[in-house]
Amino acid sequence: PGRAERASPCRQRLEEQRLLDGRYRLQRVPGGRVALPVLQEKLSQLRLPPEMPCELLRIQEPVPSRAARRATPARRLRDELRRLLGPSWSAELERDVPHAWQRHGDLVLLSEDSFRAAPWERLGPALWETVAAALGARRVARRGRVMPDGMRTPRVTLLLGQHGWVEHLDNGIRYAFDVTKCMFSPGNITEKLRVASLPCSGEVLVDLYAGIGYFTLPFLVHAGAAFVHACEWNRHAVEALHRSLVLNGVRDRCHIHCGDSRQLQLRDVADRVNLGLIPSSEEGWPVACRVLKKDTGGVLHIHHNVETRPAQPERGAPEAAGPAGEAQHPAELGGEGAPGARLRAQWQSWAEGAASRIQGLLAALHGRPWRSSVLHLQPVKSYAPHVHHLVLDLECRPL
């Protein structure tokens, strides 16, 4: 850089040579001088005439340009990768760059289809260091398909960093888990918020499929449950749950039962039972009935993936296109975020069938009639075309 009055022609010359780093702005430095940001990898190409004297100056905290401050993380990532690859950059590689990812503290978790083209592999560690720097992270991992092992164990590869343990803050609750061993499902946030608002003060709760504490922790931290029996058979999830209970100061109000919840020996203890397993928690229904208090009963929260029959459009009636291009019958479209009457009817039919079965299980277990009433039916998310993850709140009382 030269003096301030010479900065403009110097900058023009550097722009012509494509040497300027657009991430940073021109910056005044002591001595009446002006610093122009030059790409480090292009310093060897720097050629300025003698009338433009300059010296190399390293600034520890350069000021970001306005464009850089406005850029989205996805744009910054793409720009950094384009600089890294230089002439090798192509439209095909750009399509391989992710537009979204999960962030857990200082770790970003990329989708499984990110950076799969061969040229990326040749970059080695430089690629993951660039990704981390662009996204403001220190560690990078990439998801794979979930293993069909009954524990929903993730196939996650750690690409940058020494370990996969992270902390995730969600609704004021700190979840600790290892991303390479356990899954975190951000799609369940609506149900976690609902659970957190339930009036559970003084209640004993049994969580038959606790995992890393998706629902155990909201019941303890926000809903005010007096005590939770958390059942989990994945040893990695058990370790994560233990850490999270300690982090949130509720370890003394929870007992972790390690192993298959179908073998749980508890009886007659619960005011409330959570059955948070999809696609179906039916194998846990007999256990849920056994742990409910036999004299007062309680509430079951039953998760289930309910498949609904696709509507048959009337002859001559146009079909409406859904957000993903899937054809939907107009009767399904009940306003923004609301299921249509046809869907609600099918969901209600499933809920009433579940209530009848639970009522029969309780009557057979205790040798006297029980009443099962549908308190609430809550859609959590769409799991697949015509399949919805629902939660049924079922009140069960002896007669």
Side-chain angles (χ1 to χ4, degrees), residues 261-324:
S261 62
R262 290 169 295 189
Q263 309 302 321
L264 185 65
Q265 297 302 307
L266 287 178
R267 285 178 177 267
D268 187 26
V269 296
D271 300 290
R272 197 179 291 264
V273 183
N274 194 65
L275 297 107
L277 180 67
I278 55 173
S280 174
S281 62
E282 288 187 48
E283 289 192 3
W285 293 4
V287 183
C289 292
R290 288 199 301 270
V291 299
L292 270 183
K293 289 182 176 177
K294 63 181 181 182
D295 293 329
T296 57
V299 177
L300 307 183
H301 301 283
I302 302 174
H303 291 240
H304 197 85
N305 279 356
V306 177
E307 185 173 358
T308 52
R309 297 182 301 277
Q312 298 299 322
E314 296 178 11
R315 185 172 299 175
E319 291 184 337

Side-chain angles (χ1 to χ4, degrees), residues 14-287:
L14 292 174
E15 286 175 344
E16 290 172 355
Q17 299 177 32
R18 298 184 178 180
L19 302 180
L20 283 181
D21 190 339
R23 296 172 298 176
Y24 305 107
R25 60 180 298 180
L26 178 148
Q27 193 169 336
R28 292 186 179 276
V29 293
R33 299 176 299 167
V34 175
L36 294 170
V38 177
L39 291 163
Q40 185 170 352
E41 63 271 21
K42 299 290 186 70
L43 282 174
S44 61
Q45 302 174 27
L46 183 61
R47 300 288 186 272
L48 289 176
E51 62 270 20
M52 292 184 181
C54 68
E55 62 177 300
L56 184 63
L57 179 67
R58 185 175 296 278
I59 297 177
Q60 293 295 329
E61 297 183 3
V63 180
S65 66
R66 290 181 180 177
R69 290 198 299 270
R70 289 195 302 266
T72 64
R75 175 65 182 272
R76 286 198 299 271
L77 175 59
R78 192 168 62 251
D79 289 348
E80 290 298 317
L81 292 170
R82 184 184 288 114
R83 290 189 184 93
L84 179 65
L85 283 165
S88 301
W89 182 257
S90 67
E92 179 185 359
L93 290 177
E94 184 165 358
R95 287 192 295 270
D96 215 24
V97 178
H99 297 279
W101 45 84
Q102 287 184 24
R103 179 179 290 275
H104 303 293
D106 67 354
L107 183 146
V108 290
L109 183 58
L110 306 174
S111 60
E112 62 181 290
D113 57 351
S114 303
F115 303 111
R116 290 300 187 183
W120 298 118
E121 297 179 5
R122 292 196 289 268
L123 293 175
L127 170 61
W128 312 122
E129 291 167 0
T130 301
V131 171
L135 300 182
R138 293 184 177 181
R139 294 177 290 164
V140 179
R142 181 169 55 199
R143 286 200 308 265
R145 294 191 179 277
V146 176
M147 296 182 191
D149 57 1
M151 300 184 187
R152 292 185 62 76
T153 304
R155 285 190 179 100
V156 172
T157 304
L158 192 63
L159 304 166
L160 181 67
Q162 300 302 313
H163 64 87
W165 278 98
V166 298
E167 272 191 36
H168 185 97
L169 185 65
D170 189 66
N171 190 28
I173 297 173
R174 296 164 68 187
Y175 293 87
F177 60 101
D178 185 340
V179 297
T180 67
K181 308 293 185 185
C182 303
M183 288 187 62
F184 186 89
S185 179
N188 288 338
I189 182 62
T190 54
E191 180 60 12
K192 284 184 285 189
L193 290 172
R194 192 180 76 89
V195 161
S197 68
L198 292 174
C200 301
S201 179
E203 293 185 349
V204 174
L205 183 130
V206 174
D207 191 351
L208 285 180
Y209 310 101
I212 65 171
Y214 288 123
F215 302 114
T216 294
L217 289 165
F219 274 120
L220 286 167
V221 175
H222 294 311
F227 198 85
V228 173
H229 293 276
C231 309
E232 178 54 45
W233 66 358
N234 183 334
R235 60 185 179 86
H236 301 296
V238 167
E239 183 181 0
L241 176 57
H242 175 81
R243 290 193 184 198
S244 297
L245 290 167
V246 173
L247 281 174
N248 291 279
V250 292
R251 185 66 186 89
D252 61 331
R253 291 161 49 209
C254 182
H255 179 78
I256 303 175
H257 299 264
C258 304
D260 190 336
S261 62
R262 290 169 295 189
Q263 309 302 321
L264 185 65
Q265 297 302 307
L266 287 178
R267 285 178 177 267
D268 187 26
V269 296
D271 300 290
R272 197 179 291 264
V273 183
N274 194 65
L275 297 107
L277 180 67
I278 55 173
S280 174
S281 62
E282 288 187 48
E283 289 192 3
W285 293 4
V287 183

